[in-house]
């Protein structure tokens, strides 16, 4: 398995920026990008898309409830239940997956998003040290964990 190159990683950063800019008219501030050395403490709401085909692995979007509530309110949604927050983070993960396919090629297969509630450690499954992008939007933190590799 081959590691992702800088341009492949940038597509996830740019995808997150574009998502927020289109939805909120404000890009998030990217606060750090690093290789994780331990399990990560995520936020309460997590959306995961799994990749197969030309790439193997997954991307996790992890956000606190307040950030998701603000996003839903901006869309005119008044149902701020946990189920709706999970749907929202799953949709963000799905959007990142779709954007990845546009850049990484049609051979990239993407799962339906898995939505999980709880902030227990995010564990790498493919890479020993997954890529992590942390951000802040409207004073709210979030993270995207890119745990994938290119197939040989």
């Amino acid at each position: 398995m081959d590691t992702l190159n800088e341009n492949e990683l940038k597509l996830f950063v740019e995808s997150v920026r574009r998502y927020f800019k289109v939805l909120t008219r404000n890009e998030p501030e990217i606060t750090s990008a690093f290789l994780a050395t331990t399990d990560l403490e995520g936020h309460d709401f997590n959306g995961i898309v799994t990749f197969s085909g030309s790439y193997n692995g997954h991307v996790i979007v992890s956000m606190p409830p307040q950030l998701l509530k603000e996003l839903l309110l901006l869309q005119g949604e008044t149902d701020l239940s946990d189920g709706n927050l999970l749907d929202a983070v799953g949709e963000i993960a799905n959007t990142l997956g779709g954007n990845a396919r546009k850049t990484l090629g049609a051979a990239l297969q993407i799962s339906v998003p898995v939505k999980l509630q709880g902030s227990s450690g995010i564990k790498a499954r493919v890479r020993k040290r997954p890529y992590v992008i942390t951000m802040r939007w409207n004073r709210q933190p979030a993270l995207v964990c890119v745990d994938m590799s290119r197939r040989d």
Side-chain angles (χ1 to χ4, degrees):
M1 299 240 179
D2 240 345
T3 188
L4 299 180
N5 66 40
E6 185 177 347
N7 287 334
E8 290 166 328
L9 288 171
K10 280 184 181 178
L11 90 87
F12 291 101
V13 174
E14 292 309 314
S15 184
V16 169
R17 282 189 171 137
R18 192 169 42 252
Y19 181 88
F20 277 88
K21 186 162 184 151
V22 167
L23 184 64
T24 71
R25 297 193 182 106
N26 292 313
E27 288 185 11
E29 172 193 0
I30 304 301
T31 53
S32 68
F34 59 93
L35 289 171
T37 56
T38 61
D39 290 349
L40 298 170
E41 274 307 310
H43 300 285
D44 288 337
F45 291 86
N46 302 280
I48 305 165
V49 288
T50 301
F51 299 98
S52 59
S54 54
Y55 292 77
N56 181 46
H58 58 265
V59 171
I60 302 168
V61 176
S62 186
M63 297 181 168
Q66 189 57 41
L67 188 153
L68 292 164
K69 288 176 183 178
E70 290 179 33
L71 293 177
L72 287 173
L73 289 169
L74 281 171
Q75 297 174 69
E77 178 60 62
T78 56
D79 177 359
L80 303 179
S81 66
D82 285 357
N84 231 18
L85 299 181
L86 282 168
D87 286 345
V89 76
E91 181 57 33
I92 294 167
N94 195 46
T95 299
L96 291 181
N99 289 341
R101 178 183 279 146
K102 289 177 192 171
T103 303
L104 301 178
L108 182 67
Q109 298 169 11
I110 306 167
S111 73
V112 172
V114 172
K115 303 169 281 189
L116 300 172
Q117 189 171 357
S119 61
S120 61
I122 295 171
K123 295 181 182 354
R125 304 285 186 244
V126 176
R127 297 178 46 81
K128 189 171 192 167
R129 298 179 63 198
Y131 302 101
V132 179
I133 303 155
T134 63
M135 66 194 80
R136 185 169 303 284
W137 177 81
N138 202 23
R139 298 181 307 279
Q140 297 294 323
L143 71 82
V144 175
C145 177
V146 181
D147 182 21
M148 59 188 287
S149 293
R150 194 175 331 109
R151 287 200 187 262
D152 294 333

